[in-house]
Amino acid sequence: MAKRVSLSGNEAAAFAMKQIDPDVVAAYPITPSTEIPQYFSQFVANGEVNSEFVAVESEHSAMSACIGASAAGARTMTATSSQGLALMWEMLYIAASMRLPIVMTVANRALSGPINIHNDHSDSMGARDSGWIQLYSESAQEAYDNIIQAIRIAEDPRVSLPVMVCMDGFITSHALETLEVLEDEEVKKFIGEYNPDDFLLNADHPIAMGPLDLQSYYFEHKRQEQDAMDNAKQVILEIAEEYEKLTGRKYSHFEKYALDDADIAVVVLNSTAGTAKVVVDDLRSQGIKAGLLKPRTFRPIPGKEIFDALKNVKAVAVMDKADSFGAYGPLFTDIRNIMFDNKDIKIVNYIYGLGGRDVGTKDIEMVYNDLMDIVKTGKVYEVKKYLGVREKGGEEVWQL
Amino acid sequence: MATLRDIAKKPELLSGGHRLCAGCGAPVTVRRVLSAVPEDTHVVVANATGCLEVSTTVYPYSAWRTSYIHSAFENAGATISGVEAAYKVLKRRGKINEKFKFIAFGGDGGTYDIGLQSLSGALERGHDFVYVCYDNGAYMNTGIQRSSATPLYADTTTSPAGDVIPGKSQLRKELADIAVAHNIPYVAQSTPAHWKDLYEKAEKAINVDGPAVLNVLAICPRGWRTETAEDMEITRLAVDTCVWPMFEVVEGKWKLTYKPRKKLPVEEYLKKQGRFKHMFQPGNEHLIEEFQKQVDKRWEEILARCGEI
Ligand SMILES: Cc1ncc(C[n+]2csc(CCOP(=O)(O)OP(=O)(O)O)c2C)c(N)n1
Ligand code: SF4
Ligand SMILES: [Mg+2]
């Protein structure tokens, strides 16, 4: 029986971890995900879980210890943000290439420099190509649900890849929310036992992991990572369906909000989607056909599904809370690429909210207004724009 | 105590066919340490990137008859921590019943330098494992660059002996002292040329409950520019000149495990190695004097710690 509780995003993540009762958690504190290892170590101290908590001396060691534990055959979890994720960077690729089903919560935070503790997506976007599955979460509820499903996705033999569950730092990690959680027994049953085929602690069958892998095999092994990502697309949907039967909450690769008949649409990740929904409702009440697409699965990117979902839209704004200097935002790059064969659609990119700069309904309204202009004139003057920033020269000084 | 014959009868946990150079000190170190693992105990080895790793694991082959994990250069300590934590919990949960021991091998670069933090963390947390540094005094795998274990004046590719600077300008860092500062139950220094000493120390390190560190001088004929046939003799000279003292520190208590009958002058050790060749050029006598002075100073310190003076 599901029950309603009031939890912050970090509490929800820690609570999910408690219900999962993983074998090993190795983690290191960093704002805004610090509370997750704090809560978890308390669960260990109270005997509420049977896990080993390894209080490592850095995030590089956190991911290294997770790799050791997971390779040894343990169900393994961790959490981090920003610099912590950046420090793990080397090990992220290794975890994925070793096909270790580690599940990590990321409370998204801007990357230094300059140092800043607030939310944007530059941390997880920097790990985009590491071979980790990335699931994004609008709310604490979604983070909780994603973490539980992530265990199944990661451990599915067709996938066998690590999963990163992202939520917005502070906005989601620290805000109290009422959400529905499962009973411990339900979670236990849903995730099942973890019994890998090959693991270091298999006394009957010792194995070598992480050998030098040169021209003769490396490429095939990398190709297999791609196959696993492809398989993940189907597995994510299957597990979402099973989870829906258990909880009544529907998950897919993305959420469509008023999208089916929309002329204009915004694509945006995580909590900003919540703000955008308010704007969509408002525009719809004025008879404007506005819609929203909120990706949940960013890696693997569900290209065909997104293509179908956006194919009748006339103009799309992809909002990126991360920049690629000298290029376009990472989400935009993918979406425009996916839509390439649809010549009727106009797509623009907005970089917004870097370093936690607030983005409200007014800002998003402006984006939809721009899209209406594009539809009206059929012209795009600027593909990449910045939302809510004081521009050089002061022509456009925003009230901040 | 096992005899050499007893040890020879045990299965070799690092097989032949690996690609380390002839005369390399690393595989003999590994074999001797692994030979001290009791027969009822399984082993998981973690290995830092370096000569040992690249030469023993080229996919799809592995020279290791134990379970083995390599993930990166600077994290053997953290990696073995994770394996050991997994063992504890899986045992507690009844998923594993066999006895396991955890042994990490790292070169001096992977231990004294880039991996020091990871090792320190693992020692401080008290994981039950043995860390073995095979110290060949440079980054050999990448072509003989200096490390903080490189001896004073050694000619390496990033501390080259030139007309103005005579090789590495700094003293070696003392890994054993750093390990001891973690209040761990067992720390020792040895060499593969003293097989009995190394075997006994490995046995103690394996049997101790908690972290143990073995720092083992592992000659690299390529990097040291030595004659392969003289390997073990040169290694013994390191000990007999007191360049590489052999001791153990049990629960913080220092004990000298080998005292040369006659302490030889450092030249005996240095002159056999191309990396110290420039020290023997006319006008460079002061380099040898300084080297001797530093060795004497460290030796006296160790004698004092061990209660020998
Ligand atoms: C983060 C990182 N930096 C640098 C390297 C390149 N690298 C690989 S092995 C090595 C040196 C290894 O030296 P050591 O640990 O002494 O082992 P040896 O090769 O001498 O046995 C270096 C610099 C690397 N693999 N990873
Ligand atoms: S270069 Fe030196 S350390 Fe590397 S395998 Fe050869 S002898 Fe051993
Ligand atoms: Mg070395």
Side-chain angles (χ1 to χ4, degrees), chain A residues 3 7 11-19 43 144 181-182 184:
Chain A
K3 53 178 185 267
L7 297 175
E11 286 169 341
F15 187 70
M17 286 164 77
K18 179 173 132 187
Q19 294 187 307
F43 299 148
Y144 171 84
V181 294
L182 291 162
D184 294 356

Side-chain angles (χ1 to χ4, degrees), chain A residues 44-357:
Chain A
V44 174
N46 295 348
E48 293 173 84
V49 290
N50 196 4
S51 319
E52 275 295 307
F53 177 68
V54 189
V56 281
E57 82 300 330
S58 75
E59 288 88 352
H60 194 283
S61 286
M63 190 44 63
S64 299
C66 284
I67 287 171
S70 184
R75 182 175 269 161
T76 304
M77 301 183 78
T78 185
T80 195
S81 297
S82 183
Q83 304 313 111
L85 189 62
L87 192 57
M88 283 180 187
W89 195 76
E90 180 192 29
M91 302 317 298
L92 294 177
Y93 283 69
I94 295 170
S97 78
M98 283 192 182
R99 310 294 296 277
L100 300 174
I102 300 162
V103 172
M104 169 160 66
T105 303
V106 174
N108 286 113
R109 159 181 159 182
L111 275 180
S112 300
I115 188 168
N116 176 303
I117 57 167
H118 293 286
N119 169 250
D120 69 33
H121 302 153
S122 49
D123 52 2
S124 58
M125 286 298 160
R128 180 189 68 176
D129 299 335
S130 60
W132 283 60
I133 291 171
Q134 289 194 342
L135 300 179
Y136 284 80
S137 325
E138 181 184 329
S139 58
Q141 178 76 66
E142 290 190 7
Y144 171 84
D145 292 338
N146 280 338
I147 290 167
I148 291 168
Q149 292 174 71
I151 296 284
R152 287 282 304 279
I153 297 164
E155 291 172 4
D156 191 294
R158 292 168 289 176
V159 177
S160 205
L161 284 175
V163 180
M164 204 179 283
V165 174
C166 304
M167 64 172 153
D168 283 345
F170 288 114
I171 301 168
T172 307
S173 68
H174 283 64
L176 264 191
E177 195 184 302
T178 306
L179 61 152
E180 235 175 52
V181 294
L182 291 162
E183 294 293 343
D184 294 356
E185 275 313 308
E186 292 175 311
V187 173
K188 209 156 250 144
K189 202 164 148 242
F190 182 79
I191 59 171
E193 286 259 328
Y194 176 51
N195 291 312
D197 288 337
D198 290 308
F199 55 106
L200 296 171
L201 294 172
N202 186 348
D204 301 329
H205 185 53
I207 52 161
M209 298 196 58
L212 182 68
D213 195 11
L214 301 175
Q215 297 94 322
S216 320
Y217 293 98
Y218 178 92
F219 202 176
E220 281 72 23
H221 290 141
K222 296 319 272 186
R223 182 68 180 82
Q224 287 169 3
E225 280 186 64
Q226 169 60 36
D227 289 342
M229 273 287 181
D230 280 343
N231 295 344
K233 280 188 205 165
Q234 181 55 33
V235 171
I236 289 167
L237 294 179
E238 285 173 21
I239 288 163
E241 211 177 297
E242 222 183 290
Y243 195 73
E244 187 186 350
K245 286 202 190 102
L246 180 65
T247 62
R249 289 189 292 282
K250 193 172 171 53
Y251 284 91
S252 182
H253 286 311
F254 47 81
E255 182 191 341
K256 294 193 291 181
Y257 192 80
L259 192 63
D260 286 338
D261 66 339
D263 290 331
I264 52 174
V266 160
V267 179
V268 72
L269 295 166
N270 278 9
S271 67
T272 309
T275 317
K277 284 173 187 170
V278 175
V279 179
V280 169
D281 290 345
D282 186 42
L283 293 172
R284 284 275 170 178
S285 72
Q286 300 168 40
I288 298 162
K289 287 188 176 172
L292 171 81
L293 188 147
K294 180 190 78 184
R296 171 182 179 237
T297 316
F298 178 62
R299 281 293 174 273
I301 190 96
K304 193 188 157 309
E305 293 83 352
I306 289 178
F307 184 88
D308 289 341
L310 293 178
K311 68 170 184 262
N312 296 321
V313 180
K314 293 176 181 143
V316 174
V318 183
M319 294 180 61
D320 269 293
K321 216 170 185 177
D323 205 350
S324 176
F325 306 106
Y328 298 104
L331 186 58
F332 171 80
T333 303
D334 278 0
I335 302 290
R336 190 154 77 160
N337 209 356
I338 288 166
M339 301 313 293
F340 179 75
D341 288 330
N342 184 334
K343 302 290 179 211
D344 302 326
I345 192 167
K346 298 270 189 283
I347 311 184
V348 288
N349 189 197
Y350 286 85
I351 307 294
Y352 77 103
L354 299 191
R357 176 65 53 86

Side-chain angles (χ1 to χ4, degrees), chain B residues 7 16-17 25 51 80 89 95 129 137-138 152 167 207 212 215 217 248 272 279 289 292 296-297:
Chain B
I7 297 170
C51 270
I80 205 78
V89 59
K95 286 188 139 183
F129 76 114
L152 183 66
N207 286 336
N215 195 22
L217 185 71
E248 64 184 5
K272 290 188 174 289
M279 294 171 74
E289 268 168 46
Q292 184 69 60
D296 292 347
K297 181 165 166 262

